Amino acid sequence: MACAALLAVSCGGDKKAEIKQMSGFVDGGTSMHVLVVDPIGGDAAQQSFALDDATDLKEAYGLLEGNVVMVDYKAAGEGEMPVATKVACSKDYADAIGRWVMPDPVREGEVMGVELRVGGKAQSINMATLRYASWELQGEAGKILLKGVSEGSGSPIEFTETATIAKDADGIYTLTIEGNGAVYTKANE
C-alpha cells in the first residue's frame, strides 16, 4: 500500500512544479526582483512573477518597459507569487532604444534625428517641423513604425514611417527610413 501511495504521488505530478507560459508586455512596475506583465489583448489580468530564482534571463534584454515578453513560470500556491524560470524579450526592441542621429545639413557640427524611448515613446532631435511622438515593432525582424506630426507644409499632418534597423560587420547600428532614405546611426550613450 505504501508503494502504491508513493507511485501515485510521483506519477500524479505536482501542480506547483508544472511549467506554464504567458506572453505580454513588460509593465512599468517591473523591478529587479519582480516582473510585471500586461497580457496581450487584455483578456487576462496583469500578472507578477518573482525573478529571484529565475534560471534563464539571458534573453531578457534589460526587461525594458513596453517590450514583448514570454515568461516560463512555475505556478504558485494560494497567496504566493508565480516564479519565473525563463524570461525572453524582443532583442529588436532593446536594440531600437536610444538616440539615432545624422549630421545636420544646415548647422555644421550639429546632429538631428530621433530618440526612441521605452514604452513606445519617441522624440525628435533638433527637428522642429518633424515631431516624432511614438514607435512600435512592426512584427518583422528589424522593422519598426515611427509616428508623429509634420509641420513642414504649414499645417500639421500626421505621418507614419516604416524604418529598418540593421547592424553592420563593425557592430554599428543604422536606422533607415523607407521612402525618404534617411539613414541615422545609433549614438553611443
Side-chain angles (χ1 to χ4, degrees):
M1 185 138 186
C3 286
L6 182 59
L7 184 61
V9 169
S10 64
C11 291
D14 179 7
K15 287 283 186 198
K16 282 180 142 181
E18 179 182 336
I19 301 294
K20 296 183 177 186
Q21 284 190 330
M22 179 180 182
S23 59
F25 301 97
V26 177
D27 184 80
T30 294
S31 70
M32 59 189 263
H33 300 290
V34 176
L35 168 62
V36 181
V37 177
D38 294 322
I40 293 175
D43 295 339
Q46 185 181 66
Q47 180 67 54
S48 297
F49 301 93
L51 290 174
D52 291 334
D53 295 325
T55 56
D56 189 350
L57 295 175
K58 65 183 173 271
E59 294 178 357
Y61 302 113
L63 293 174
L64 301 171
E65 178 185 353
N67 199 347
V68 178
V69 64
M70 174 66 77
V71 183
D72 290 355
Y73 65 96
K74 293 179 186 174
E78 189 68 32
E80 296 176 357
M81 184 180 299
V83 176
T85 58
K86 179 180 180 179
V87 178
C89 293
S90 168
K91 184 169 181 343
D92 284 343
Y93 186 94
D95 288 345
I97 301 297
R99 293 171 51 88
W100 298 87
V101 297
M102 67 190 299
D104 188 320
V106 177
R107 295 178 304 220
E108 188 173 326
E110 296 288 321
V111 295
M112 58 186 236
V114 60
E115 181 176 359
L116 304 181
R117 299 177 176 175
V118 296
K121 296 176 180 78
Q123 179 177 330
S124 296
I125 300 170
N126 297 327
M127 294 191 297
T129 60
L130 187 64
R131 295 190 331 257
Y132 289 103
S134 64
W135 72 279
E136 61 188 58
L137 295 175
Q138 192 174 13
E140 184 180 334
K143 296 275 189 176
I144 66 169
L145 291 178
L146 294 163
K147 297 179 182 181
V149 175
S150 173
E151 294 190 18
S153 63
S155 61
I157 299 171
E158 291 185 11
F159 69 86
T160 300
E161 298 175 325
T162 301
T164 303
I165 296 173
K167 182 177 177 182
D168 69 14
D170 295 326
I172 297 171
Y173 285 92
T174 57
L175 176 73
T176 304
I177 309 296
E178 294 179 8
N180 70 17
V183 179
Y184 300 104
T185 302
K186 191 169 189 181
N188 294 330
E189 304 299 331

